[in-house]
Amino acid sequence: QVQLVESGGGLVQAGDSLRLSCAASGRTFSGYTMGWFRQAPGKEREFVASITWRDGATYYVGSVKGRFTISRDNAKNTMYLQMSSLKPEDTAVYYCAATPYRKAWSDGSWGQGTQVTVSS
C-alpha cells in the first residue's frame, strides 16, 4: 500500500522560498508518475507539477514555471517541490500524489496535504 507524507509547509512572505517534501513508501516507484497539486480556499484542486520517477521528466502548470522546481531522490524515495518567488496566490494546501505511469491521478494515492501561506 502506497503511503505519501508531505512536509515543509509554513507561513512565508511574498518573494520568499520554501521546499516541500513528499516521503513515499509501500512499493518501488520506478513505474510511477508523482506530482504536486494544490487547493486554495474556495477553489478546486489544481495540478502544479509532475515528475516521472524512472527518467525524471517534468511538467509544470504555466503559473509556476520558472519559479517552482520538482525533483526526486530515488535513494530516499522522496519527492520535492522547491518554490521560489512565492506569491500570495500560491497560498493553498499542497498535496503530493503518485499514480502508475499513464494512469489517471484518481487511480493513484494521495498524501494528507501541507499548508503553505504566503503573506503580502
Side-chain angles (χ1 to χ4, degrees):
Q1 183 177 357
V2 174
Q3 290 187 322
L4 305 172
V5 179
E6 303 97 333
S7 62
L11 172 63
V12 296
Q13 293 186 332
D16 285 350
S17 298
L18 201 61
R19 189 178 79 160
L20 305 182
S21 299
C22 174
S25 62
R27 61 161 297 122
T28 58
F29 293 92
S30 59
Y32 271 60
T33 299
M34 298 187 72
W36 289 97
F37 290 73
R38 65 186 180 185
Q39 187 168 19
K43 296 187 177 181
E44 293 187 353
R45 188 173 299 188
E46 69 167 347
F47 170 83
V48 176
S50 66
I51 186 166
T52 303
W53 200 262
R54 179 173 295 169
D55 61 10
T58 59
Y59 186 76
Y60 298 90
V61 69
S63 60
V64 307
K65 279 183 179 179
R67 299 190 299 122
F68 291 11
T69 302
I70 189 171
S71 63
R72 86 268 190 254
D73 184 325
N74 289 0
K76 295 182 178 179
N77 260 14
T78 300
M79 176 179 65
Y80 303 98
L81 186 68
Q82 178 67 47
M83 305 184 292
S84 302
S85 302
L86 283 162
K87 305 175 181 180
E89 51 264 43
D90 294 318
T91 294
V93 177
Y94 283 71
Y95 299 88
C96 70
T99 193
Y101 186 58
R102 292 192 175 179
K103 291 288 188 180
W105 291 108
S106 57
D107 293 329
S109 301
W110 293 77
Q112 82 289 349
T114 186
Q115 176 71 47
V116 172
T117 303
V118 184
S119 63
S120 57

